[in-house]
Amino acid sequence: MSDRWTERLSEYLDGELPETDRAALEAHLDTCAACSETLVGLRRLVLRARSLEDRPPARDLWSGIADRIGAVPRRRRLTFSVPQLLAAGVALAVLSGGSAWMLHPDATGVAAVRLDSAPSGVVPVVAGGSTSETARSYDAAVHDLERVLAEGRGLLDTATVRVLEQNLALIDGAIAQARRAVAADSANVYLNTHLAETMRRKIHLLRQAAALVSAVS
Amino acid sequence: MLLLLALLQQIDSTVPAERGQRLEVSSYAGDISVRSWNRNAVRVTADQEGRTRVEIDRSPGSITIRTVGHRGAPRMVDLVITVPTWMPLDISGVNTDVSVVGARGAVSVETVQGDVDVDGGEGLVSLRSVQGSVALRGAKGRLEVHSVNEDVSVGNSSGEVTAETVNGDITLRAVDASSVMSSSVNGELTYDGTIRNGGRYAFSTHNGDITITVPEGSNAAVSVSTFNGEFASEFPVTLTETRKGKRFNFTLGTGRAQMTLESFQGTIRLVRPGSSRDARDRDHDRDRDDDG
């Protein structure tokens, strides 16, 4: 799953490989399916990260949650020091306006990564951290946002609350299906990424709901 | 009826506009209709009811229009606003349908219960609704269209496109995009546009089909992933790599664009230009036959 070129894919993506190494890596990509797949996954991550919003909800609501999940400000460029994590079946989720992180439902043997800011604006993906810790951070963020929605539901139009809850249920159903699929094929990059992306959607929708509550309170 | 008419007061105000100003509109309920003209002025017409008034403020950076309730939330007010074509627009509402025609600047629209329909816009065009559909046409630049519970569409536009909804379809037609990110949880994704060399095109849905019209001569490295879905192509493709499960890659032409197609449990379909609607219609007919 990993070879000496895997470590250099991020430099390749950033256009920082010397010409000779670049040519050698491209030749390697022609024959190595694992590296090619990892490269595709990394490109998706970069594309996704570049589209992140930086706009927080109107009220100070987000700051506490962002602290809890380790959210960091603006990012537009990524450097990956350990991209083989993708090939190892680690899932990716990106929190809009906040951190990007990876998680896996089964902590055994699977690393978690998070994105931390760097002074230059380059955001390295750093290996390490506990998957269970990441999962707890996610659960806590969901819990906080759900509490905001529960406490503020009386302030919102009933039709809006109904639509929000229906769509959250829809996402929960998708998350449950994706979890079962990952459990059956834990090394599947697509399934892990899809699970993480669907979980990100839940956070995003809950943040929208919290912003609506904030706007009318 | 006479009493109601007596309480209604029609306003028709025109204020001068200068380049560098943006229009900010905030309305709680009612339609917001923005049109454009070649005058450097903003005209506002509305029927305001006694307990709700329309306030127009002008500052060096903006012209602000908002509806204000005397006590409590403002009542429904339909606003018709005419602006210079160059003027950036920032429109927000709650129970508000928003339509914009002829804008040639940045456009931002946010509403909760209401549809968004925009024809035009350049630069950053960001359209969001929670409960309504979002439709964008004739725009160019960075185009972001989001809904939660309804369909999203972009047509006859160019630039970088991000389209998201949770429970709805996403249709991108006649789009000249250097990058596309299109994703839904419960909806079909359709793309009929250019596939540029060096472009990035990502389509992802959990429960829905993906239909991509591939123009003749396209060059794309295509990655297909599904868990419980199918893949169909109207033209032959040679798989370069098949991974465990339903995941595989193939290359069209020189492969200079990157395309990822992911549907957890829907059909991913590549079609020739002009046939995407036919293919979908055939599927719908088949579904009806199966139901019958």
Side-chain angles (χ1 to χ4, degrees):
Chain A
M1 298 292 283
S2 176
D3 57 42
R4 70 187 183 92
W5 288 113
T6 318
E7 296 284 353
R8 313 208 59 186
L9 288 174
S10 92
E11 293 172 75
Y12 176 72
L13 267 182
D14 289 340
E16 293 173 349
L17 272 185
E19 185 55 38
T20 52
D21 288 350
R22 178 183 174 85
L25 175 54
E26 287 179 343
H28 173 72
L29 287 170
D30 289 340
T31 59
C32 179
C35 281
S36 295
E37 186 173 2
T38 301
L39 186 62
V40 169
L42 291 174
R43 280 183 167 140
R44 287 192 59 220
L45 170 60
V46 171
L47 194 63
R48 178 70 218 176
R50 282 176 178 158
S51 73
L52 289 180
E53 298 171 40
D54 298 310
R55 180 180 50 185
R59 210 171 56 177
D60 195 25
L61 173 72
W62 177 241
S63 59
I65 298 166
D67 288 344
R68 186 176 286 193
I69 61 176
V72 294
R74 305 179 66 87
R75 66 202 63 232
R76 283 295 180 268
R77 181 165 174 265
L78 301 177
T79 294
F80 305 91
S81 60
V82 194
Q84 75 268 25
L85 290 168
L86 274 175
V90 177
L92 164 72
V94 181
L95 293 176
S96 291
S99 64
W101 44 272
M102 297 182 177
L103 75 163
H104 191 283
D106 175 8
T108 307
V110 180
V113 298
R114 64 187 307 123
L115 301 183
D116 295 318
S117 63
S120 64
V122 175
V123 183
V125 172
V126 181
S130 152
T131 301
S132 58
E133 179 186 340
T134 307
R136 276 197 300 274
S137 295
Y138 173 83
D139 290 342
V142 168
H143 175 75
D144 284 351
L145 289 163
E146 286 179 334
R147 191 180 63 199
V148 171
L149 177 58
E151 290 175 352
R153 58 180 292 146
L155 300 170
L156 299 176
D157 185 274
T158 54
T160 300
V161 172
R162 186 168 61 247
V163 163
L164 290 171
E165 291 180 342
Q166 285 173 346
N167 280 275
L168 286 168
L170 195 65
I171 295 174
D172 282 340
I175 289 172
Q177 288 183 323
R179 280 191 195 278
R180 286 195 292 272
V182 168
D185 186 4
S186 61
N188 187 315
V189 174
Y190 160 62
L191 292 177
N192 279 279
T193 305
H194 180 68
L195 170 60
E197 177 65 16
T198 311
M199 294 169 76
R200 181 201 67 83
R201 277 180 170 279
K202 180 170 181 177
I203 287 280
H204 183 69
L205 182 54
L206 281 168
R207 283 186 62 196
Q208 275 189 280
L212 291 175
V213 171
S214 176
V216 297
S217 59
Chain B
M1 186 64 176
L2 287 175
L3 180 61
L4 178 63
L5 288 174
L7 291 173
L8 287 174
Q9 178 190 355
Q10 186 167 55
I11 68 163
D12 187 343
S13 299
T14 300
V15 296
E18 297 173 354
R19 285 191 181 270
Q21 285 182 311
R22 62 188 294 113
L23 179 73
E24 298 176 354
V25 183
S26 175
S27 178
Y28 182 77
D31 295 345
I32 301 174
S33 176
V34 178
R35 304 290 180 258
S36 61
W37 60 7
N38 290 323
R39 292 178 57 190
N40 284 328
V42 172
R43 180 186 180 194
V44 183
T45 62
D47 288 323
Q48 63 182 7
E49 179 258 338
R51 292 182 181 178
T52 298
R53 66 181 188 278
V54 177
E55 290 185 347
I56 305 171
D57 293 319
R58 188 172 184 276
S59 71
S62 65
I63 293 174
T64 303
I65 301 166
R66 63 189 188 125
T67 59
V68 180
H70 178 58
R71 286 179 182 173
R75 301 287 180 86
M76 180 179 293
V77 177
D78 291 337
L79 294 167
V80 178
I81 305 167
T82 310
V83 301
T85 53
W86 52 261
M87 192 168 220
L89 307 175
D90 189 348
I91 300 168
S92 62
V94 179
N95 302 312
T96 311
D97 288 335
V98 179
S99 69
V100 175
V101 175
R104 286 293 171 265
V107 178
S108 171
V109 178
E110 293 191 7
T111 184
V112 180
Q113 293 185 34
D115 297 333
V116 178
D117 188 295
V118 173
D119 190 338
E122 294 182 11
L124 175 58
V125 179
S126 174
L127 313 178
R128 296 168 185 273
S129 177
V130 175
Q131 292 169 252
S133 63
V134 176
L136 174 63
R137 299 173 302 283
K140 54 185 172 184
R142 183 176 162 192
L143 315 179
E144 302 177 348
V145 285
H146 299 256
S147 179
V148 173
N149 198 49
E150 292 292 342
D151 296 344
V152 163
S153 68
V154 178
N156 295 301
S157 298
S158 61
E160 301 174 2
V161 180
T162 301
E164 271 194 339
T165 184
V166 176
N167 187 29
D169 298 339
I170 298 176
T171 303
L172 311 177
R173 289 197 190 282
V175 169
D176 180 9
S178 57
S179 76
V180 171
M181 291 189 66
S182 173
S183 65
S184 178
V185 175
N186 187 43
E188 297 188 359
L189 311 182
T190 302
Y191 181 73
D192 186 350
T194 57
I195 298 174
R196 286 196 202 171
N197 290 343
R200 301 279 185 270
Y201 304 87
F203 300 83
S204 175
T205 180
H206 183 84
N207 187 29
D209 297 342
I210 300 175
T211 303
I212 306 294
T213 299
V214 180
E216 298 292 337
S218 294
N219 300 303
V222 183
S223 171
V224 175
S225 300
T226 180
F227 175 68
N228 197 26
E230 302 291 338
F231 174 76
S233 175
E234 289 191 349
F235 44 86
V237 296
T238 302
L239 305 186
T240 55
E241 175 65 22
T242 302
R243 311 292 294 170
K244 184 184 177 186
K246 295 176 179 178
R247 299 153 59 211
F248 48 86
N249 303 325
F250 58 88
T251 301
L252 301 173
T254 60
R256 294 180 65 184
Q258 293 287 331
M259 178 176 285
T260 59
L261 308 173
E262 300 175 345
S263 177
F264 188 82
Q265 53 193 12
T267 296
I268 298 169
R269 186 182 297 108
L270 299 184
V271 301
R272 295 183 187 280
S275 64
S276 61
R277 286 177 181 166
D278 295 341
R280 291 181 65 177
D281 289 346
R282 279 198 302 272
D283 283 353
H284 290 157
D285 291 344
R286 190 177 61 206
D287 291 343
R288 277 199 300 270
D289 292 343
D290 291 345
D291 292 342

